[in-house]
Amino acid sequence: QVQLVESGGGLVQAGGSLRLSCAASGRAFSANAMGWFRQAPGKERAFVATINWNGDSAYYANSVKGRFTISRDNAKNTLFLQMNSLKPEDTAVYYCAAYERTFAVGTPIYWGKGTLVTVSS
């Protein structure tokens, strides 16, 4: 059974940092692009960042560019999201996702259950 389990969420003050992790189990994702999405209260789920299969290519939403960094450790089947200079508008449930292909094309085929990040002002 494939599972993506996020961790690292919590409450942080504006300007602070958090590092999210996503542990994958059930199969290896070293050949798959992966990504982070988020859903703020009352809003639809939105793209945050994606990374290709070997980590040498990443894309970010404009709202997080320069503040967030996506990375992966294929040996540990783990995805990360380093979030710096957090703002109250970053408050959301953050979801890890895996794509079918080596690059982030189309809709992810696997999703985690999410981890809540709350940024206080």
Side-chain angles (χ1 to χ4, degrees):
Q1 180 182 0
V2 174
Q3 278 192 315
L4 299 176
V5 180
E6 302 93 339
S7 62
L11 174 64
V12 63
Q13 287 189 332
S17 298
L18 281 176
R19 189 191 196 205
L20 304 184
S21 298
C22 172
S25 62
R27 56 160 283 187
F29 285 95
S30 56
N32 300 81
M34 298 190 73
W36 289 96
F37 292 74
R38 67 186 182 185
Q39 186 166 17
K43 296 187 177 181
E44 294 187 351
R45 189 177 297 183
F47 158 76
V48 174
T50 58
I51 189 168
N52 73 328
W53 69 281
N54 66 356
D56 67 357
S57 179
Y59 295 92
Y60 298 89
N62 287 335
S63 58
V64 307
K65 202 173 294 183
R67 300 187 297 122
F68 290 12
T69 302
I70 188 171
S71 61
R72 65 191 298 164
D73 185 338
N74 284 342
K76 296 181 179 180
N77 225 20
T78 304
L79 178 73
F80 303 99
L81 184 68
Q82 178 67 43
M83 306 187 295
N84 298 329
S85 302
L86 282 161
K87 304 175 181 180
E89 51 263 43
D90 294 318
T91 295
V93 176
Y94 283 72
Y95 297 91
C96 168
Y99 291 82
E100 183 176 8
R101 299 184 183 275
T102 56
F103 287 83
V105 177
T107 302
I109 57 173
Y110 296 110
W111 293 89
K113 294 184 178 181
T115 185
L116 176 62
V117 172
T118 303
V119 184
S120 63
S121 57

